[in-house]
Amino acid sequence: MPTTVELEQVLRGAELRVTRPRVAVLTAVHDHPHADTDTIIGAVRAGLGDVSHQAVYDVLRVLTAAGLLRRIQPAGSVARYEARVADNHHHVVCRGCGTIADVECAVGEIPCLTASDDHGFVIDEAEVVYWGLCPDCAADAASTAIA
């Protein structure tokens, strides 16, 4: 978990002004990987007090554009944010409860999937979302099927 001083250095390294809301949002995303905006707003308010929804949305947009956060939005889900941005990892999503976990890139270099036809694009990332049931939801489904 990065310290406040480290997060301030990250902001300066991205040529962004250091503000309390930016540090608070970075902290919240580090503390709550794959968090939705409401969770991030709650965490920021717990640390700073009254901060508007719009301020948090603006900070999320700026930090994502600067490459300090990654925005993911699996099908049927609200946008979520993570601070893990320096690699090309993927995600597994539970169809039951919506839990999201990181999945390391299985094979190869970035991107770990090679397009059969790149249509002239210079591809720098591949996004894979694995879907299934987390252990808790799978156990619930199994116990329901037995009953």
Side-chain angles (χ1 to χ4, degrees), residues 63-84:
L63 297 178
T64 300
L68 300 180
L69 296 181
R70 181 177 178 192
R71 181 183 186 273
I72 61 171
Q73 190 168 7
S77 175
V78 297
R80 295 169 182 260
Y81 295 86
E82 64 181 349
R84 186 174 170 186

Side-chain angles (χ1 to χ4, degrees), residues 26-51:
L26 277 175
T27 300
V29 174
H30 276 278
D31 287 347
H32 307 282
H34 309 122
D36 61 18
T37 308
D38 287 340
T39 302
I40 295 167
I41 289 169
V44 168
R45 285 182 174 167
L48 292 183
D50 191 32
V51 176

